[in-house]
Every structure is written in C-alpha cells, then in structure tokens.
Amino acid sequence: MAQEQIQPQALEPFQVLGVPLHLTRNYFDWLLARLKQRQGCHVVTLNAEMTMQAERNPDLATVIHQAELVIPDGAGVVLYLRLHGRRIKRCPGIELAESLLQAIAQQNLGKIVFFGGAPGVAEQAAAKLEAKYPGLAIAHVQNGYLTPETTPVFLQTLKELQPELVLVGLGVPRQEFWIAQHRHLCPNTVWIGVGGSFDVWAGTKQRAPGWLRNNNLEWVYRLYKEPWRWKRMLDLPRFAWRSLLYRLGH
Ligand code: UDP
C-alpha cells in the first residue's frame, strides 16, 4: 500500500544560551510525518538542566547539535523563549512520546521498543499503555541496566527488528549518548530520549499535579519528591541568571 506522503512543517532553528532548539507549531505532526516516511531522527527534550549540562559538557552539546529535533520540554526553556519575544507552547517529551504511541496503535504504524528503567519497570509501563491504547503492542522491552552478556543480544535484536520507534529512558545525558552511539543500527528509526517516563507510565513515579505544571512549577514537586536532586537542580537558578544576563547583554 502506498504510504501517505505528509509534508512535515519546516523547523525554525533557535538557540537557548547557545544550545540548539527547533521551533514549529506542531511537534507531533512533524514527528509523525517523519515516522511514517521512515526518516530516522533523534529527538532531544531540552530543559534548563540539560542546557546547563551542555554548557559544561561539549560532548553533550555536540550530540544535541546533531539531533534532528530538539523540543522545548521544560518550563525554563519556554520562559527563555518568552524573554526573546517567542510565544511557544511547552512540549513535554513524555506527552509527545505517548501521543506517538497512541497514533502508532490507532494507525498500525509499526514496531516499538522500550529501553530503560529498572528491571520490570518498562514491562509494567508497556502493559499499562497496551491496556490504555487498544491495538498497541510493544515489540521488545529491555531494562536500562545492560550487562556484558545482555548488550550484544539487545543490539542484535534492534538490528533485526528495525523498529519504527525506540524510546530510551536512561536519564540525561546517558540516553543522549547512547542514542548517538547506536542509532546507526536502525537508521530509519525515530529515537526519543524519555528520561524517567517509563517510571511514570508504570506508576512507580508521579508527575507533578496539573496546577503545578501549568504554573511552571514542576521543579518544585520534583525537589519535594526527590530532595537528593537538589545539587543537580541548582542548574535551574543558574539557568535563570544566565538567561537574564544574556537578555540584558543583547
Ligand atoms: N536508568 C537506567 N539505566 C541507568 C541509569 C538510569 O535505565 O544506567 C533509568 C532510571 O531507572 C530512571 C531513568 O533512567 O528510570 C532516569 O530518570 P530521571 O527521572 O532521573 O531522568 P532525567 O531527569 O535525567 O531525565
């Protein structure tokens, strides 16, 4: 059957403190078109923490530069855009990934692989999502703690499956490096780094309530639930400060 040809909207390149970001009206449409046309790509979900990490880690910055799609995942990034006169809606990676899963299920668009999370978590996430979206079938699930024995088996599975979509949840920046290093195994695949999304889908972690998310305060909830992240989260005030200085400097 001839594949429907959808022209993806153009992406406008933008920079957040020197880190690339793509602007478009509808990230989902863009990504679905790429998936249907079997044009592989790497999706990075940019937030303030990752921007600061990329500033300190040139290897991470290089990987983000090479990604075909970098979306405004975090509230800090959206506020930065607003400071620069751009009103763009936040596009949380977890929501984009779930919309894609739903579309694949509804339109029977191909094979999906989940990779990441503690043993059992991604399986549980797959089971819950399969129950939620009739027609969804996750072709392969691999936990995020590969060993010298399981690594070659998993890489061989990817080569043979050539899935349409691979979600990689190893945390930042591990997942970005992993995708950059292995995407050649499945060049026509859409690869998305999804952080802790498997934990959320599995129900082992909760997202912040909607009213906190809507007020750009997801980070407060994160700090309350996972106080050990405080050191890492110092990147948020750093990002805000750098953004203000940058704005004043221009
Ligand atoms: N993880 C993994 N393998 C590792 C380290 C971490 O699969 O070697 C998983 C971990 O179980 C968790 C996710 O990566 O599910 C990291 O989630 P987090 O919310 O910290 O992601 P981030 O905030 O970095 O996007």
Side-chain angles (χ1 to χ4, degrees), residues 3-4 6 26-36 94-112 129 132-138 164-165 167:
Q3 193 62 265
E4 186 187 354
I6 305 170
N26 191 323
Y27 291 97
F28 171 74
D29 284 353
W30 189 91
L31 203 51
L32 186 63
R34 290 285 291 215
L35 186 131
K36 284 183 173 177
I94 186 169
E95 291 173 18
L96 182 65
E98 189 166 335
S99 304
L100 214 51
L101 293 174
Q102 188 178 6
I104 292 172
Q106 279 170 351
Q107 301 173 45
N108 195 16
L109 294 176
K111 297 182 285 291
I112 302 159
L129 289 162
K132 187 171 173 186
Y133 301 113
L136 183 67
I138 307 303
E164 273 69 10
L165 176 67
L167 301 185

mmCIF file of all heavy atoms in Angstrom, residues 3-4 6 26-36 94-112 129 132-138 164-165 167:
data_model
loop_
_atom_site.group_PDB
_atom_site.id
_atom_site.type_symbol
_atom_site.label_atom_id
_atom_site.label_comp_id
_atom_site.label_asym_id
_atom_site.label_seq_id
_atom_site.Cartn_x
_atom_site.Cartn_y
_atom_site.Cartn_z
ATOM 1 N N GLN A 3 2.394 4.635 0.898
ATOM 2 C CA GLN A 3 2.397 5.377 2.149
ATOM 3 C C GLN A 3 1.977 6.816 1.892
ATOM 4 O O GLN A 3 2.434 7.450 0.946
ATOM 5 C CB GLN A 3 3.824 5.318 2.735
ATOM 6 C CG GLN A 3 3.932 5.774 4.165
ATOM 7 C CD GLN A 3 3.131 4.921 5.145
ATOM 8 O OE1 GLN A 3 2.014 5.273 5.466
ATOM 9 N NE2 GLN A 3 3.673 3.808 5.589
ATOM 10 N N GLU A 4 1.043 7.279 2.726
ATOM 11 C CA GLU A 4 0.551 8.645 2.629
ATOM 12 C C GLU A 4 1.744 9.605 2.789
ATOM 13 O O GLU A 4 2.542 9.464 3.703
ATOM 14 C CB GLU A 4 -0.406 8.796 3.808
ATOM 15 C CG GLU A 4 -1.171 10.043 3.909
ATOM 16 C CD GLU A 4 -1.936 10.043 5.253
ATOM 17 O OE1 GLU A 4 -1.907 9.022 5.955
ATOM 18 O OE2 GLU A 4 -2.514 11.063 5.544
ATOM 19 N N ILE A 6 3.054 12.974 3.861
ATOM 20 C CA ILE A 6 2.713 14.201 4.568
ATOM 21 C C ILE A 6 3.972 15.058 4.588
ATOM 22 O O ILE A 6 5.043 14.573 4.924
ATOM 23 C CB ILE A 6 2.305 13.924 6.017
ATOM 24 C CG1 ILE A 6 1.172 12.906 6.045
ATOM 25 C CG2 ILE A 6 1.896 15.189 6.744
ATOM 26 C CD1 ILE A 6 0.871 12.403 7.423
ATOM 27 N N ASN A 26 3.632 22.489 15.495
ATOM 28 C CA ASN A 26 3.109 21.214 15.967
ATOM 29 C C ASN A 26 4.185 20.120 15.882
ATOM 30 O O ASN A 26 4.443 19.576 14.814
ATOM 31 C CB ASN A 26 1.885 20.851 15.116
ATOM 32 C CG ASN A 26 1.126 19.697 15.703
ATOM 33 O OD1 ASN A 26 1.717 18.762 16.242
ATOM 34 N ND2 ASN A 26 -0.192 19.756 15.622
ATOM 35 N N TYR A 27 4.802 19.847 17.028
ATOM 36 C CA TYR A 27 5.897 18.874 17.057
ATOM 37 C C TYR A 27 5.394 17.472 16.734
ATOM 38 O O TYR A 27 6.081 16.681 16.091
ATOM 39 C CB TYR A 27 6.584 18.889 18.430
ATOM 40 C CG TYR A 27 7.345 20.174 18.657
ATOM 41 C CD1 TYR A 27 6.780 21.223 19.365
ATOM 42 C CD2 TYR A 27 8.610 20.352 18.120
ATOM 43 C CE1 TYR A 27 7.463 22.420 19.550
ATOM 44 C CE2 TYR A 27 9.305 21.538 18.297
ATOM 45 C CZ TYR A 27 8.718 22.567 19.001
ATOM 46 O OH TYR A 27 9.396 23.744 19.170
ATOM 47 N N PHE A 28 4.189 17.181 17.184
ATOM 48 C CA PHE A 28 3.629 15.846 16.960
ATOM 49 C C PHE A 28 3.477 15.575 15.459
ATOM 50 O O PHE A 28 3.887 14.519 14.970
ATOM 51 C CB PHE A 28 2.286 15.717 17.682
ATOM 52 C CG PHE A 28 1.548 14.464 17.322
ATOM 53 C CD1 PHE A 28 1.962 13.236 17.811
ATOM 54 C CD2 PHE A 28 0.454 14.514 16.468
ATOM 55 C CE1 PHE A 28 1.291 12.068 17.453
ATOM 56 C CE2 PHE A 28 -0.219 13.354 16.118
ATOM 57 C CZ PHE A 28 0.203 12.127 16.603
ATOM 58 N N ASP A 29 2.897 16.526 14.726
ATOM 59 C CA ASP A 29 2.707 16.341 13.278
ATOM 60 C C ASP A 29 4.045 16.123 12.576
ATOM 61 O O ASP A 29 4.178 15.288 11.686
ATOM 62 C CB ASP A 29 2.020 17.571 12.658
ATOM 63 C CG ASP A 29 0.531 17.594 12.977
ATOM 64 O OD1 ASP A 29 0.033 16.600 13.544
ATOM 65 O OD2 ASP A 29 -0.122 18.606 12.662
ATOM 66 N N TRP A 30 5.029 16.925 12.984
ATOM 67 C CA TRP A 30 6.352 16.828 12.361
ATOM 68 C C TRP A 30 6.919 15.420 12.557
ATOM 69 O O TRP A 30 7.379 14.773 11.620
ATOM 70 C CB TRP A 30 7.298 17.864 12.985
ATOM 71 C CG TRP A 30 8.604 17.990 12.267
ATOM 72 C CD1 TRP A 30 8.909 18.846 11.246
ATOM 73 C CD2 TRP A 30 9.788 17.200 12.498
ATOM 74 N NE1 TRP A 30 10.202 18.635 10.829
ATOM 75 C CE2 TRP A 30 10.770 17.639 11.581
ATOM 76 C CE3 TRP A 30 10.122 16.176 13.380
ATOM 77 C CZ2 TRP A 30 12.045 17.093 11.529
ATOM 78 C CZ3 TRP A 30 11.399 15.621 13.310
ATOM 79 C CH2 TRP A 30 12.343 16.087 12.399
ATOM 80 N N LEU A 31 6.815 14.949 13.804
ATOM 81 C CA LEU A 31 7.420 13.657 14.146
ATOM 82 C C LEU A 31 6.656 12.488 13.528
ATOM 83 O O LEU A 31 7.258 11.517 13.062
ATOM 84 C CB LEU A 31 7.448 13.531 15.677
ATOM 85 C CG LEU A 31 8.475 12.592 16.260
ATOM 86 C CD1 LEU A 31 9.860 12.861 15.707
ATOM 87 C CD2 LEU A 31 8.479 12.729 17.770
ATOM 88 N N LEU A 32 5.345 12.599 13.498
ATOM 89 C CA LEU A 32 4.537 11.531 12.911
ATOM 90 C C LEU A 32 4.846 11.405 11.417
ATOM 91 O O LEU A 32 4.969 10.291 10.880
ATOM 92 C CB LEU A 32 3.046 11.815 13.128
ATOM 93 C CG LEU A 32 2.108 10.693 12.693
ATOM 94 C CD1 LEU A 32 2.356 9.432 13.513
ATOM 95 C CD2 LEU A 32 0.640 11.112 12.842
ATOM 96 N N ALA A 33 5.012 12.547 10.752
ATOM 97 C CA ALA A 33 5.344 12.518 9.324
ATOM 98 C C ALA A 33 6.702 11.838 9.109
ATOM 99 O O ALA A 33 6.865 11.006 8.212
ATOM 100 C CB ALA A 33 5.358 13.942 8.769
ATOM 101 N N ARG A 34 7.670 12.153 9.967
ATOM 102 C CA ARG A 34 8.994 11.525 9.850
ATOM 103 C C ARG A 34 8.882 10.015 10.049
ATOM 104 O O ARG A 34 9.488 9.232 9.318
ATOM 105 C CB ARG A 34 9.950 12.059 10.936
ATOM 106 C CG ARG A 34 10.382 13.470 10.772
ATOM 107 C CD ARG A 34 11.408 13.676 9.703
ATOM 108 N NE ARG A 34 12.712 13.118 9.981
ATOM 109 C CZ ARG A 34 13.848 13.688 9.590
ATOM 110 N NH1 ARG A 34 13.841 14.840 8.929
ATOM 111 N NH2 ARG A 34 15.012 13.127 9.816
ATOM 112 N N LEU A 35 8.093 9.631 11.044
ATOM 113 C CA LEU A 35 7.948 8.206 11.352
ATOM 114 C C LEU A 35 7.293 7.465 10.189
ATOM 115 O O LEU A 35 7.751 6.405 9.766
ATOM 116 C CB LEU A 35 7.146 8.044 12.640
ATOM 117 C CG LEU A 35 7.022 6.628 13.172
ATOM 118 C CD1 LEU A 35 7.363 6.580 14.662
ATOM 119 C CD2 LEU A 35 5.644 6.042 12.962
ATOM 120 N N LYS A 36 6.227 8.082 9.620
ATOM 121 C CA LYS A 36 5.517 7.430 8.516
ATOM 122 C C LYS A 36 6.404 7.311 7.288
ATOM 123 O O LYS A 36 6.288 6.368 6.517
ATOM 124 C CB LYS A 36 4.269 8.235 8.157
ATOM 125 C CG LYS A 36 3.132 8.053 9.143
ATOM 126 C CD LYS A 36 1.915 8.808 8.685
ATOM 127 C CE LYS A 36 0.717 8.506 9.548
ATOM 128 N NZ LYS A 36 -0.458 9.282 9.167
ATOM 129 N N ILE A 94 7.365 13.443 27.469
ATOM 130 C CA ILE A 94 6.521 12.306 27.859
ATOM 131 C C ILE A 94 5.177 12.358 27.138
ATOM 132 O O ILE A 94 4.634 11.331 26.718
ATOM 133 C CB ILE A 94 6.338 12.235 29.401
ATOM 134 C CG1 ILE A 94 5.590 10.967 29.786
ATOM 135 C CG2 ILE A 94 5.668 13.470 29.972
ATOM 136 C CD1 ILE A 94 5.592 10.661 31.279
ATOM 137 N N GLU A 95 4.650 13.555 26.936
ATOM 138 C CA GLU A 95 3.353 13.684 26.254
ATOM 139 C C GLU A 95 3.501 13.447 24.754
ATOM 140 O O GLU A 95 2.660 12.802 24.126
ATOM 141 C CB GLU A 95 2.758 15.074 26.529
ATOM 142 C CG GLU A 95 2.332 15.214 27.976
ATOM 143 C CD GLU A 95 1.878 16.621 28.360
ATOM 144 O OE1 GLU A 95 1.557 17.424 27.464
ATOM 145 O OE2 GLU A 95 1.862 16.914 29.574
ATOM 146 N N LEU A 96 4.605 13.965 24.198
ATOM 147 C CA LEU A 96 4.850 13.755 22.771
ATOM 148 C C LEU A 96 5.016 12.258 22.484
ATOM 149 O O LEU A 96 4.428 11.715 21.539
ATOM 150 C CB LEU A 96 6.111 14.523 22.344
ATOM 151 C CG LEU A 96 6.486 14.440 20.877
ATOM 152 C CD1 LEU A 96 5.422 15.099 20.003
ATOM 153 C CD2 LEU A 96 7.838 15.106 20.619
ATOM 154 N N ALA A 97 5.793 11.590 23.338
ATOM 155 C CA ALA A 97 6.032 10.150 23.143
ATOM 156 C C ALA A 97 4.718 9.375 23.263
ATOM 157 O O ALA A 97 4.434 8.480 22.457
ATOM 158 C CB ALA A 97 7.056 9.649 24.160
ATOM 159 N N GLU A 98 3.900 9.739 24.246
ATOM 160 C CA GLU A 98 2.648 8.995 24.433
ATOM 161 C C GLU A 98 1.685 9.231 23.253
ATOM 162 O O GLU A 98 1.003 8.304 22.811
ATOM 163 C CB GLU A 98 1.987 9.371 25.768
ATOM 164 C CG GLU A 98 0.822 8.445 26.071
ATOM 165 C CD GLU A 98 0.312 8.522 27.509
ATOM 166 O OE1 GLU A 98 1.071 8.907 28.420
ATOM 167 O OE2 GLU A 98 -0.872 8.177 27.710
ATOM 168 N N SER A 99 1.649 10.458 22.737
ATOM 169 C CA SER A 99 0.793 10.724 21.566
ATOM 170 C C SER A 99 1.241 9.875 20.375
ATOM 171 O O SER A 99 0.422 9.378 19.601
ATOM 172 C CB SER A 99 0.873 12.191 21.150
ATOM 173 O OG SER A 99 0.535 13.004 22.215
ATOM 174 N N LEU A 100 2.557 9.727 20.250
ATOM 175 C CA LEU A 100 3.084 8.929 19.142
ATOM 176 C C LEU A 100 2.712 7.458 19.313
ATOM 177 O O LEU A 100 2.324 6.780 18.346
ATOM 178 C CB LEU A 100 4.606 9.100 19.118
ATOM 179 C CG LEU A 100 5.292 9.091 17.773
ATOM 180 C CD1 LEU A 100 4.655 10.061 16.798
ATOM 181 C CD2 LEU A 100 6.777 9.421 17.931
ATOM 182 N N LEU A 101 2.786 6.967 20.547
ATOM 183 C CA LEU A 101 2.409 5.576 20.821
ATOM 184 C C LEU A 101 0.942 5.352 20.445
ATOM 185 O O LEU A 101 0.583 4.353 19.819
ATOM 186 C CB LEU A 101 2.614 5.242 22.304
ATOM 187 C CG LEU A 101 4.049 5.224 22.810
ATOM 188 C CD1 LEU A 101 4.084 5.020 24.319
ATOM 189 C CD2 LEU A 101 4.863 4.128 22.116
ATOM 190 N N GLN A 102 0.117 6.325 20.807
ATOM 191 C CA GLN A 102 -1.313 6.224 20.521
ATOM 192 C C GLN A 102 -1.554 6.196 19.001
ATOM 193 O O GLN A 102 -2.339 5.375 18.501
ATOM 194 C CB GLN A 102 -2.028 7.420 21.148
ATOM 195 C CG GLN A 102 -3.523 7.317 21.078
ATOM 196 C CD GLN A 102 -4.204 8.507 21.763
ATOM 197 O OE1 GLN A 102 -3.551 9.462 22.187
ATOM 198 N NE2 GLN A 102 -5.510 8.436 21.868
ATOM 199 N N ALA A 103 -0.860 7.068 18.286
ATOM 200 C CA ALA A 103 -1.037 7.130 16.828
ATOM 201 C C ALA A 103 -0.560 5.829 16.170
ATOM 202 O O ALA A 103 -1.200 5.312 15.246
ATOM 203 C CB ALA A 103 -0.267 8.325 16.254
ATOM 204 N N ILE A 104 0.551 5.289 16.666
ATOM 205 C CA ILE A 104 1.079 4.036 16.099
ATOM 206 C C ILE A 104 0.059 2.912 16.305
ATOM 207 O O ILE A 104 -0.193 2.105 15.411
ATOM 208 C CB ILE A 104 2.452 3.687 16.724
ATOM 209 C CG1 ILE A 104 3.494 4.713 16.279
ATOM 210 C CG2 ILE A 104 2.892 2.272 16.345
ATOM 211 C CD1 ILE A 104 4.835 4.593 16.977
ATOM 212 N N ALA A 105 -0.552 2.906 17.499
ATOM 213 C CA ALA A 105 -1.556 1.880 17.796
ATOM 214 C C ALA A 105 -2.772 2.043 16.888
ATOM 215 O O ALA A 105 -3.241 1.070 16.280
ATOM 216 C CB ALA A 105 -1.975 1.973 19.264
ATOM 217 N N GLN A 106 -3.273 3.256 16.776
ATOM 218 C CA GLN A 106 -4.500 3.504 16.003
ATOM 219 C C GLN A 106 -4.301 3.226 14.521
ATOM 220 O O GLN A 106 -5.178 2.724 13.844
ATOM 221 C CB GLN A 106 -4.947 4.954 16.176
ATOM 222 C CG GLN A 106 -5.700 5.173 17.474
ATOM 223 C CD GLN A 106 -5.928 6.653 17.755
ATOM 224 O OE1 GLN A 106 -5.388 7.519 17.072
ATOM 225 N NE2 GLN A 106 -6.719 6.943 18.764
ATOM 226 N N GLN A 107 -3.127 3.604 14.009
ATOM 227 C CA GLN A 107 -2.915 3.519 12.563
ATOM 228 C C GLN A 107 -2.014 2.345 12.173
ATOM 229 O O GLN A 107 -1.611 2.254 11.018
ATOM 230 C CB GLN A 107 -2.308 4.839 12.048
ATOM 231 C CG GLN A 107 -3.206 6.042 12.341
ATOM 232 C CD GLN A 107 -2.512 7.356 11.985
ATOM 233 O OE1 GLN A 107 -1.905 7.484 10.928
ATOM 234 N NE2 GLN A 107 -2.591 8.337 12.869
ATOM 235 N N ASN A 108 -1.683 1.529 13.159
ATOM 236 C CA ASN A 108 -0.865 0.346 12.905
ATOM 237 C C ASN A 108 0.420 0.705 12.143
ATOM 238 O O ASN A 108 0.665 0.212 11.043
ATOM 239 C CB ASN A 108 -1.714 -0.661 12.112
ATOM 240 C CG ASN A 108 -1.087 -2.036 12.112
ATOM 241 O OD1 ASN A 108 -0.204 -2.310 12.937
ATOM 242 N ND2 ASN A 108 -1.514 -2.885 11.193
ATOM 243 N N LEU A 109 1.208 1.575 12.762
ATOM 244 C CA LEU A 109 2.340 2.158 12.036
ATOM 245 C C LEU A 109 3.664 1.427 12.226
ATOM 246 O O LEU A 109 4.650 1.821 11.624
ATOM 247 C CB LEU A 109 2.516 3.631 12.436
ATOM 248 C CG LEU A 109 1.363 4.551 12.022
ATOM 249 C CD1 LEU A 109 1.589 5.959 12.546
ATOM 250 C CD2 LEU A 109 1.205 4.570 10.503
ATOM 251 N N GLY A 110 3.680 0.406 13.071
ATOM 252 C CA GLY A 110 4.921 -0.350 13.139
ATOM 253 C C GLY A 110 5.349 -0.761 14.529
ATOM 254 O O GLY A 110 4.567 -0.731 15.472
ATOM 255 N N LYS A 111 6.626 -1.110 14.602
ATOM 256 C CA LYS A 111 7.158 -1.742 15.821
ATOM 257 C C LYS A 111 7.762 -0.708 16.779
ATOM 258 O O LYS A 111 8.369 0.273 16.340
ATOM 259 C CB LYS A 111 8.215 -2.777 15.429
ATOM 260 C CG LYS A 111 7.638 -3.921 14.596
ATOM 261 C CD LYS A 111 8.686 -4.953 14.259
ATOM 262 C CE LYS A 111 9.663 -4.542 13.183
ATOM 263 N NZ LYS A 111 9.169 -4.418 11.835
ATOM 264 N N ILE A 112 7.617 -1.006 18.058
ATOM 265 C CA ILE A 112 8.095 -0.094 19.102
ATOM 266 C C ILE A 112 8.990 -0.865 20.068
ATOM 267 O O ILE A 112 8.672 -2.002 20.435
ATOM 268 C CB ILE A 112 6.902 0.469 19.898
ATOM 269 C CG1 ILE A 112 5.930 1.202 18.971
ATOM 270 C CG2 ILE A 112 7.366 1.379 21.026
ATOM 271 C CD1 ILE A 112 4.539 1.335 19.555
ATOM 272 N N LEU A 129 0.254 0.778 29.166
ATOM 273 C CA LEU A 129 -0.048 1.531 27.936
ATOM 274 C C LEU A 129 -0.831 0.658 26.947
ATOM 275 O O LEU A 129 -1.730 1.144 26.263
ATOM 276 C CB LEU A 129 1.254 2.055 27.305
ATOM 277 C CG LEU A 129 1.920 3.198 28.083
ATOM 278 C CD1 LEU A 129 3.376 3.368 27.664
ATOM 279 C CD2 LEU A 129 1.162 4.512 27.882
ATOM 280 N N LYS A 132 -4.297 0.736 27.917
ATOM 281 C CA LYS A 132 -4.912 2.061 27.685
ATOM 282 C C LYS A 132 -5.217 2.299 26.205
ATOM 283 O O LYS A 132 -6.221 2.916 25.877
ATOM 284 C CB LYS A 132 -3.938 3.126 28.210
ATOM 285 C CG LYS A 132 -4.462 4.533 28.203
ATOM 286 C CD LYS A 132 -3.485 5.446 28.963
ATOM 287 C CE LYS A 132 -3.876 6.904 28.847
ATOM 288 N NZ LYS A 132 -2.862 7.793 29.452
ATOM 289 N N TYR A 133 -4.321 1.831 25.334
ATOM 290 C CA TYR A 133 -4.485 2.085 23.891
ATOM 291 C C TYR A 133 -4.675 0.765 23.136
ATOM 292 O O TYR A 133 -3.696 0.077 22.818
ATOM 293 C CB TYR A 133 -3.269 2.833 23.325
ATOM 294 C CG TYR A 133 -3.037 4.153 24.003
ATOM 295 C CD1 TYR A 133 -1.908 4.370 24.797
ATOM 296 C CD2 TYR A 133 -3.957 5.190 23.880
ATOM 297 C CE1 TYR A 133 -1.700 5.583 25.442
ATOM 298 C CE2 TYR A 133 -3.767 6.410 24.532
ATOM 299 C CZ TYR A 133 -2.640 6.591 25.300
ATOM 300 O OH TYR A 133 -2.442 7.790 25.944
ATOM 301 N N PRO A 134 -5.922 0.417 22.831
ATOM 302 C CA PRO A 134 -6.162 -0.848 22.129
ATOM 303 C C PRO A 134 -5.376 -0.865 20.807
ATOM 304 O O PRO A 134 -5.304 0.149 20.117
ATOM 305 C CB PRO A 134 -7.677 -0.819 21.874
ATOM 306 C CG PRO A 134 -8.223 0.176 22.839
ATOM 307 C CD PRO A 134 -7.146 1.171 23.108
ATOM 308 N N GLY A 135 -4.787 -1.998 20.525
ATOM 309 C CA GLY A 135 -4.012 -2.114 19.282
ATOM 310 C C GLY A 135 -2.530 -1.884 19.507
ATOM 311 O O GLY A 135 -1.697 -2.217 18.671
ATOM 312 N N LEU A 136 -2.180 -1.304 20.668
ATOM 313 C CA LEU A 136 -0.757 -1.047 20.937
ATOM 314 C C LEU A 136 -0.074 -2.362 21.341
ATOM 315 O O LEU A 136 -0.595 -3.098 22.187
ATOM 316 C CB LEU A 136 -0.609 -0.020 22.068
ATOM 317 C CG LEU A 136 0.825 0.397 22.412
ATOM 318 C CD1 LEU A 136 1.451 1.172 21.256
ATOM 319 C CD2 LEU A 136 0.874 1.255 23.679
ATOM 320 N N ALA A 137 1.076 -2.644 20.706
ATOM 321 C CA ALA A 137 1.839 -3.834 21.082
ATOM 322 C C ALA A 137 3.315 -3.446 21.073
ATOM 323 O O ALA A 137 3.845 -3.070 20.027
ATOM 324 C CB ALA A 137 1.574 -4.966 20.085
ATOM 325 N N ILE A 138 3.935 -3.483 22.237
ATOM 326 C CA ILE A 138 5.357 -3.134 22.309
ATOM 327 C C ILE A 138 6.144 -4.377 21.887
ATOM 328 O O ILE A 138 6.015 -5.448 22.500
ATOM 329 C CB ILE A 138 5.751 -2.682 23.747
ATOM 330 C CG1 ILE A 138 4.812 -1.566 24.245
ATOM 331 C CG2 ILE A 138 7.215 -2.240 23.794
ATOM 332 C CD1 ILE A 138 4.714 -0.331 23.396
ATOM 333 N N GLU A 164 10.118 1.085 14.190
ATOM 334 C CA GLU A 164 9.785 2.445 13.758
ATOM 335 C C GLU A 164 10.130 3.450 14.858
ATOM 336 O O GLU A 164 10.509 4.583 14.576
ATOM 337 C CB GLU A 164 8.285 2.542 13.425
ATOM 338 C CG GLU A 164 7.929 2.169 12.007
ATOM 339 C CD GLU A 164 8.102 0.680 11.685
ATOM 340 O OE1 GLU A 164 8.313 -0.127 12.600
ATOM 341 O OE2 GLU A 164 8.034 0.337 10.489
ATOM 342 N N LEU A 165 9.969 3.000 16.132
ATOM 343 C CA LEU A 165 10.181 3.913 17.267
ATOM 344 C C LEU A 165 10.939 3.206 18.390
ATOM 345 O O LEU A 165 10.587 2.089 18.775
ATOM 346 C CB LEU A 165 8.812 4.378 17.797
ATOM 347 C CG LEU A 165 8.802 5.261 19.035
ATOM 348 C CD1 LEU A 165 9.423 6.629 18.758
ATOM 349 C CD2 LEU A 165 7.383 5.448 19.568
ATOM 350 N N LEU A 167 12.070 4.184 22.326
ATOM 351 C CA LEU A 167 12.097 5.121 23.448
ATOM 352 C C LEU A 167 13.213 4.689 24.386
ATOM 353 O O LEU A 167 13.265 3.518 24.786
ATOM 354 C CB LEU A 167 10.755 5.128 24.189
ATOM 355 C CG LEU A 167 9.521 5.497 23.359
ATOM 356 C CD1 LEU A 167 8.285 5.577 24.250
ATOM 357 C CD2 LEU A 167 9.724 6.823 22.614
#
